[in-house]
Amino acid sequence: MIDLYYWPTPNGHKITLFLEETSLPYRIHHVNIGKGEQFKPDFLKIAPNNRIPAIVDQDPAGGGAPISLFESGAILLYLAEKTGRFIPAAIHGRAEVLQWLFWQMGGLGPMAGQNGHFNIYAPEKVPYATERYTRETERLYGVMDRRLADRAYLAGAYSIADIACYPWVVPHETHKQNIHDFPHLKRWFDAIAARPATKRAYVLAPASRPPMSEEERKILFGQGARLPA
Protein backbone atom coordinates (compact mmCIF):
# COMPACT_ATOMS: atom_id res chain seq x y z
CA MET A 1 0.00 0.00 0.00
CA ILE A 2 1.21 3.49 -0.92
CA ASP A 3 0.14 6.34 1.35
CA LEU A 4 0.03 9.43 -0.85
CA TYR A 5 0.07 12.88 0.71
CA TYR A 6 -1.57 14.95 -1.97
CA TRP A 7 -3.16 18.16 -3.11
CA PRO A 8 -4.34 18.71 -6.71
CA THR A 9 -1.38 20.68 -8.01
CA PRO A 10 0.70 19.76 -11.08
CA ASN A 11 3.23 17.99 -8.86
CA GLY A 12 0.46 16.17 -7.03
CA HIS A 13 -1.08 15.04 -10.32
CA LYS A 14 2.18 13.41 -11.37
CA ILE A 15 1.87 10.77 -8.68
CA THR A 16 -1.82 9.99 -9.16
CA LEU A 17 -1.12 9.64 -12.90
CA PHE A 18 1.55 7.03 -12.19
CA LEU A 19 -0.47 5.17 -9.57
CA GLU A 20 -3.53 5.01 -11.80
CA GLU A 21 -1.43 3.72 -14.71
CA THR A 22 0.07 0.91 -12.63
CA SER A 23 -2.93 0.04 -10.42
CA LEU A 24 -0.71 0.09 -7.36
CA PRO A 25 -2.95 0.15 -4.28
CA TYR A 26 -2.86 3.56 -2.66
CA ARG A 27 -4.78 5.79 -0.32
CA ILE A 28 -4.85 9.55 -0.46
CA HIS A 29 -4.24 11.81 2.51
CA HIS A 30 -5.29 15.30 1.50
CA VAL A 31 -2.90 18.04 2.60
CA ASN A 32 -4.73 21.33 2.15
CA ILE A 33 -1.87 23.67 1.40
CA GLY A 34 -4.16 26.71 1.49
CA LYS A 35 -4.93 25.97 5.15
CA GLY A 36 -1.31 25.34 6.09
CA GLU A 37 -1.65 21.59 6.65
CA GLN A 38 1.79 21.11 5.05
CA PHE A 39 3.31 22.55 8.24
CA LYS A 40 1.89 19.91 10.58
CA PRO A 41 4.66 18.06 12.45
CA ASP A 42 3.56 14.61 11.26
CA PHE A 43 3.72 15.72 7.63
CA LEU A 44 7.09 17.41 8.10
CA LYS A 45 8.53 14.08 9.25
CA ILE A 46 7.81 12.77 5.74
CA ALA A 47 8.31 15.97 3.75
CA PRO A 48 10.78 18.31 5.51
CA ASN A 49 10.49 20.83 2.67
CA ASN A 50 6.78 21.26 3.58
CA ARG A 51 5.64 20.60 0.02
CA ILE A 52 3.39 18.00 -1.53
CA PRO A 53 3.48 15.35 -2.84
CA ALA A 54 5.03 12.83 -0.50
CA ILE A 55 4.55 9.10 -0.11
CA VAL A 56 5.09 6.34 2.38
CA ASP A 57 5.52 2.90 0.82
CA GLN A 58 4.25 0.49 3.44
CA ASP A 59 5.47 -2.53 1.45
CA PRO A 60 8.88 -1.75 -0.09
CA ALA A 61 10.54 -4.22 -2.40
CA GLY A 62 12.51 -6.73 -0.35
CA GLY A 63 10.52 -6.00 2.79
CA GLY A 64 11.71 -4.05 5.77
CA ALA A 65 10.54 -0.79 7.27
CA PRO A 66 8.29 1.57 5.31
CA ILE A 67 10.04 4.03 3.01
CA SER A 68 9.00 7.69 2.88
CA LEU A 69 9.88 10.05 0.06
CA PHE A 70 9.30 13.67 -0.86
CA GLU A 71 10.03 15.46 -4.18
CA SER A 72 7.85 14.38 -7.10
CA GLY A 73 10.72 13.40 -9.38
CA ALA A 74 12.27 11.16 -6.73
CA ILE A 75 8.87 9.60 -6.08
CA LEU A 76 8.29 8.88 -9.78
CA LEU A 77 11.73 7.29 -10.13
CA TYR A 78 11.23 5.21 -6.99
CA LEU A 79 7.82 3.96 -8.11
CA ALA A 80 9.06 3.23 -11.63
CA GLU A 81 11.89 1.12 -10.22
CA LYS A 82 9.54 -0.56 -7.75
CA THR A 83 7.11 -1.62 -10.47
CA GLY A 84 9.45 -1.96 -13.44
CA ARG A 85 7.09 0.32 -15.37
CA PHE A 86 7.60 3.49 -17.37
CA ILE A 87 11.39 3.43 -17.27
CA PRO A 88 13.51 1.17 -19.48
CA ALA A 89 15.91 -1.31 -17.94
CA ALA A 90 18.47 -0.83 -20.72
CA ILE A 91 21.00 1.92 -20.09
CA HIS A 92 20.35 3.97 -23.24
CA GLY A 93 16.59 4.13 -22.78
CA ARG A 94 16.95 4.79 -19.07
CA ALA A 95 19.30 7.71 -19.76
CA GLU A 96 16.77 9.20 -22.20
CA VAL A 97 14.00 9.06 -19.62
CA LEU A 98 16.11 10.44 -16.79
CA GLN A 99 17.37 13.46 -18.70
CA TRP A 100 13.81 14.50 -19.59
CA LEU A 101 12.59 13.83 -16.08
CA PHE A 102 15.31 16.12 -14.70
CA TRP A 103 14.59 18.64 -17.46
CA GLN A 104 11.07 18.89 -16.13
CA MET A 105 12.17 19.15 -12.51
CA GLY A 106 14.79 21.81 -13.21
CA GLY A 107 13.12 23.68 -16.06
CA LEU A 108 9.50 23.23 -17.06
CA GLY A 109 8.12 22.96 -13.53
CA PRO A 110 9.94 25.92 -11.95
CA MET A 111 9.49 28.21 -14.97
CA ALA A 112 5.81 27.37 -15.52
CA GLY A 113 5.31 27.67 -11.77
CA GLN A 114 6.71 31.19 -11.76
CA ASN A 115 4.59 31.92 -14.83
CA GLY A 116 1.49 30.89 -12.91
CA HIS A 117 2.51 32.87 -9.86
CA PHE A 118 3.06 36.16 -11.63
CA ASN A 119 0.19 35.79 -14.11
CA ILE A 120 -2.42 34.51 -11.64
CA TYR A 121 -1.51 34.80 -7.97
CA ALA A 122 0.79 37.78 -7.51
CA PRO A 123 -1.01 40.60 -5.65
CA GLU A 124 0.52 43.15 -7.99
CA LYS A 125 1.38 42.87 -11.67
CA VAL A 126 5.08 42.96 -12.46
CA PRO A 127 5.37 43.33 -16.24
CA TYR A 128 9.02 42.26 -16.42
CA ALA A 129 8.29 39.06 -14.45
CA THR A 130 5.15 38.14 -16.37
CA GLU A 131 6.90 38.63 -19.71
CA ARG A 132 10.03 36.83 -18.55
CA TYR A 133 8.27 33.68 -17.39
CA THR A 134 5.67 33.67 -20.17
CA ARG A 135 8.45 33.76 -22.77
CA GLU A 136 10.49 31.12 -20.96
CA THR A 137 7.45 28.83 -20.80
CA GLU A 138 7.01 29.40 -24.53
CA ARG A 139 10.66 28.50 -25.11
CA LEU A 140 10.28 25.28 -23.15
CA TYR A 141 7.15 24.36 -25.11
CA GLY A 142 9.28 24.82 -28.22
CA VAL A 143 11.88 22.43 -26.83
CA MET A 144 9.21 19.79 -26.29
CA ASP A 145 7.63 20.43 -29.68
CA ARG A 146 10.91 19.87 -31.51
CA ARG A 147 11.66 16.78 -29.43
CA LEU A 148 8.26 15.30 -30.27
CA ALA A 149 8.51 15.94 -34.01
CA ASP A 150 9.74 12.41 -34.71
CA ARG A 151 8.53 10.38 -31.73
CA ALA A 152 5.30 9.73 -29.87
CA TYR A 153 6.66 10.54 -26.42
CA LEU A 154 9.60 12.40 -24.97
CA ALA A 155 11.83 9.35 -24.53
CA GLY A 156 10.24 7.05 -27.11
CA ALA A 157 7.73 4.96 -25.19
CA TYR A 158 5.42 6.54 -22.61
CA SER A 159 7.45 7.05 -19.45
CA ILE A 160 7.79 8.93 -16.19
CA ALA A 161 9.24 11.80 -18.23
CA ASP A 162 5.86 12.29 -19.92
CA ILE A 163 4.01 11.76 -16.63
CA ALA A 164 6.15 14.49 -15.05
CA CYS A 165 5.67 17.00 -17.88
CA TYR A 166 2.00 16.58 -18.72
CA PRO A 167 0.51 18.24 -15.59
CA TRP A 168 2.63 21.32 -16.22
CA VAL A 169 1.19 21.68 -19.74
CA VAL A 170 -2.42 21.26 -18.58
CA PRO A 171 -2.66 24.95 -17.50
CA HIS A 172 -1.37 26.19 -20.87
CA GLU A 173 -4.17 28.72 -21.25
CA THR A 174 -3.65 30.34 -17.85
CA HIS A 175 0.07 30.31 -18.56
CA LYS A 176 -0.62 32.42 -21.68
CA GLN A 177 0.42 29.74 -24.17
CA ASN A 178 -1.32 28.85 -27.43
CA ILE A 179 -0.77 25.12 -27.60
CA HIS A 180 -1.93 25.11 -31.23
CA ASP A 181 1.33 26.89 -32.07
CA PHE A 182 3.09 23.63 -31.10
CA PRO A 183 1.49 20.86 -33.21
CA HIS A 184 3.70 18.01 -32.01
CA LEU A 185 3.23 19.02 -28.39
CA LYS A 186 -0.53 19.30 -28.97
CA ARG A 187 -0.66 15.78 -30.40
CA TRP A 188 1.31 14.45 -27.40
CA PHE A 189 -0.90 16.37 -24.98
CA ASP A 190 -4.10 15.03 -26.52
CA ALA A 191 -2.79 11.46 -26.51
CA ILE A 192 -1.99 11.60 -22.78
CA ALA A 193 -5.28 13.33 -21.95
CA ALA A 194 -7.13 10.46 -23.65
CA ARG A 195 -5.48 7.73 -21.56
CA PRO A 196 -7.96 6.13 -19.14
CA ALA A 197 -5.52 6.48 -16.24
CA THR A 198 -5.20 10.23 -16.91
CA LYS A 199 -8.96 10.63 -16.83
CA ARG A 200 -9.18 8.71 -13.56
CA ALA A 201 -6.37 10.75 -11.99
CA TYR A 202 -7.96 14.07 -12.85
CA VAL A 203 -11.35 13.02 -11.49
CA LEU A 204 -9.66 13.25 -8.09
CA ALA A 205 -9.17 17.00 -8.58
CA PRO A 206 -11.95 19.60 -8.46
CA ALA A 207 -12.90 21.06 -11.82
CA SER A 208 -12.53 24.57 -10.46
CA ARG A 209 -11.38 26.28 -7.30
CA PRO A 210 -12.66 29.41 -5.59
CA PRO A 211 -10.41 32.47 -5.81
CA MET A 212 -7.49 32.40 -3.43
CA SER A 213 -8.15 34.25 -0.19
CA GLU A 214 -5.69 36.70 1.30
CA GLU A 215 -5.04 34.26 4.17
CA GLU A 216 -4.25 31.45 1.71
CA ARG A 217 -1.95 33.80 -0.20
CA LYS A 218 -0.02 34.56 2.98
CA ILE A 219 0.29 30.86 3.82
CA LEU A 220 1.48 29.85 0.36
CA PHE A 221 3.68 32.80 -0.59
CA GLY A 222 4.72 34.40 2.68
CA GLN A 223 7.04 31.73 3.98
CA GLY A 224 10.47 32.44 5.37
CA ALA A 225 12.91 30.31 7.30
CA ARG A 226 10.60 30.02 10.31
CA LEU A 227 7.59 27.74 10.12
CA PRO A 228 4.19 29.21 10.95
CA ALA A 229 3.26 28.90 14.61
Side-chain angles (χ1 to χ4, degrees):
M1 174 66 69
I2 302 292
D3 285 300
L4 170 61
Y5 295 82
Y6 164 90
W7 198 242
T9 69
N11 287 332
H13 290 314
K14 294 177 190 177
I15 312 308
T16 52
L17 283 169
F18 185 96
L19 293 169
E20 289 295 332
E21 287 282 359
T22 56
S23 299
L24 272 174
Y26 73 100
R27 57 195 165 208
I28 286 180
H29 304 268
H30 288 99
V31 180
N32 189 328
I33 59 176
K35 293 183 178 179
E37 292 177 357
Q38 67 272 35
F39 301 112
K40 291 184 175 180
D42 286 348
F43 180 67
L44 290 172
K45 291 177 182 177
I46 302 166
N49 194 39
N50 58 269
R51 297 287 191 273
I52 63 92
I55 67 166
V56 178
D57 184 359
Q58 302 292 349
D59 186 27
I67 293 176
S68 65
L69 292 101
F70 66 102
E71 284 295 319
S72 59
I75 294 169
L76 284 177
L77 180 56
Y78 173 83
L79 293 174
E81 292 179 336
K82 175 183 175 73
T83 59
R85 300 280 305 278
F86 302 116
I87 189 168
I91 188 170
H92 292 88
R94 180 181 174 85
E96 289 285 293
V97 169
L98 289 179
Q99 68 181 348
W100 285 99
L101 173 65
F102 282 91
W103 177 85
Q104 185 281 312
M105 295 295 296
L108 179 62
M111 296 300 102
Q114 292 296 328
N115 179 323
H117 177 79
F118 285 105
N119 273 303
I120 304 167
Y121 299 114
E124 60 182 275
K125 295 302 179 185
V126 183
Y128 175 82
T130 55
E131 181 177 353
R132 159 83 174 104
Y133 291 112
T134 299
R135 289 180 64 85
E136 180 62 5
T137 304
E138 180 186 32
R139 185 190 74 80
L140 294 168
Y141 277 31
V143 172
M144 283 190 285
D145 193 63
R146 290 188 294 273
R147 174 67 176 179
L148 293 163
D150 61 353
R151 69 201 74 213
Y153 297 104
L154 289 167
Y158 189 59
S159 73
I160 54 174
D162 304 289
I163 290 172
C165 289
Y166 174 81
W168 283 103
V169 181
V170 169
H172 53 87
E173 292 183 357
T174 56
H175 290 171
K176 310 299 184 185
Q177 304 301 313
N178 183 355
I179 199 169
H180 297 281
D181 290 342
F182 306 95
H184 308 300
L185 178 64
K186 176 67 162 56
R187 184 259 310 150
W188 168 90
F189 180 81
D190 290 343
I192 297 175
R195 294 175 73 92
T198 303
K199 295 177 181 179
R200 292 194 301 270
Y202 274 81
V203 165
L204 300 170
S208 62
R209 301 183 196 175
M212 184 177 293
S213 70
E214 188 59 32
E215 183 62 27
E216 288 175 319
R217 193 186 305 276
K218 289 178 180 178
I219 290 170
L220 290 173
F221 306 129
Q223 298 171 31
R226 295 180 181 275
L227 295 175

